[in-house]
Amino acid sequence: MLEIVVYGGAFNPPHAGHADAIRQLAHVARRILVVPSYRHAFGKDMAPFDLRLSWLRRIVERLAAEGVPVEVDDCERQLAIEQHRPLYSWDLLSHIAAREGLTAREVGFVVGEDNLAALARFHRAEELLRTFPLVLAREQVPLHSTMIRQAAGDGREIEALWLAPGLTPHDYAFFAGASQGRPQGITP
């Protein structure tokens, strides 16, 4: 069993599939750190960091109440500010291992099935995969954040099965109007 697994991502927005992945990780690590991207390495547009962080904290609170050893870690904010460049998985995992006093082999790198194909594009990909154990989160809930953003942007109802514990359809209202060019939560 790994000491820590790091589940990073945009979480733009987080959903039931993310919660399912977190539950899966409880079987491979003593602690699960959910780390939202502050500045995405591939330049994704994302909802504000503090909004995504608040969504994740509500989800994690519910999962922790179920006995899942999970916590939200907002360290990417400080790391991104200090580095003035995109923050890569290598940077994040190295930082967490050093901060926690662990070897790289004790810190798992979580990747969802949807990101397996993109691994070759990751910064220092070969070294990353040799250094940190890869932990695959199986996609058991066929859902992606894009589906929620599109539904909210089109004014469609957010399906109850899409909701992560602790969130409501109202949380996704930020993305309303996205199909007209801009989510309601973003001002010009």
Side-chain angles (χ1 to χ4, degrees):
M1 181 168 275
L2 295 166
E3 287 300 316
I4 292 177
V5 290
V6 178
Y7 185 23
F11 302 105
N12 189 46
H15 52 69
H18 294 122
D20 180 67
I22 292 167
R23 286 182 181 108
Q24 290 176 46
L25 297 171
H27 302 288
V28 297
R30 295 186 203 318
R31 290 174 57 206
I32 303 160
L33 300 183
V34 178
V35 185
S37 298
Y38 183 77
R39 186 182 308 123
H40 200 277
F42 295 148
K44 273 187 188 180
D45 285 329
M46 300 179 290
F49 181 78
D50 286 326
L51 178 59
R52 292 178 293 114
L53 189 63
S54 71
W55 288 333
L56 288 169
R57 284 184 172 145
R58 288 172 31 215
I59 294 165
V60 162
E61 180 180 322
R62 293 285 180 96
L63 294 174
E66 294 175 13
V68 177
V70 62
E71 56 196 88
V72 176
D73 191 325
D74 66 352
C75 67
E76 273 212 23
R77 179 193 326 249
Q78 189 60 39
L79 290 172
I81 291 169
E82 290 170 1
Q83 295 189 12
H84 303 290
R85 64 170 175 76
L87 186 68
Y88 300 107
S89 296
W90 174 267
D91 303 319
L92 176 63
L93 293 163
S94 297
H95 168 78
I96 289 172
R99 181 188 75 192
E100 300 293 327
L102 299 170
T103 68
R105 300 306 301 163
E106 295 174 295
V107 179
F109 169 42
V110 178
V111 176
E113 282 184 290
D114 59 331
N115 279 319
L116 274 178
L119 273 177
R121 294 186 355 214
F122 278 45
H123 178 70
R124 297 171 75 171
E126 288 181 28
E127 188 176 6
L128 180 68
L129 295 173
R130 275 194 319 270
T131 305
F132 297 95
L134 180 68
V135 178
L136 181 63
R138 297 271 177 212
E139 188 174 295
Q140 298 177 148
V141 177
L143 177 62
H144 298 271
S145 297
T146 304
M147 295 165 61
I148 294 172
R149 290 193 308 270
Q150 287 175 340
D154 293 344
R156 290 183 280 128
E157 187 174 329
I158 302 299
E159 307 218 11
L161 293 173
W162 293 0
L163 299 175
L167 297 187
T168 69
H170 177 72
D171 290 305
Y172 302 124
F174 172 84
F175 299 102
S179 64
Q180 284 78 43
R182 184 175 69 241
Q184 71 178 15
I186 296 179
T187 56

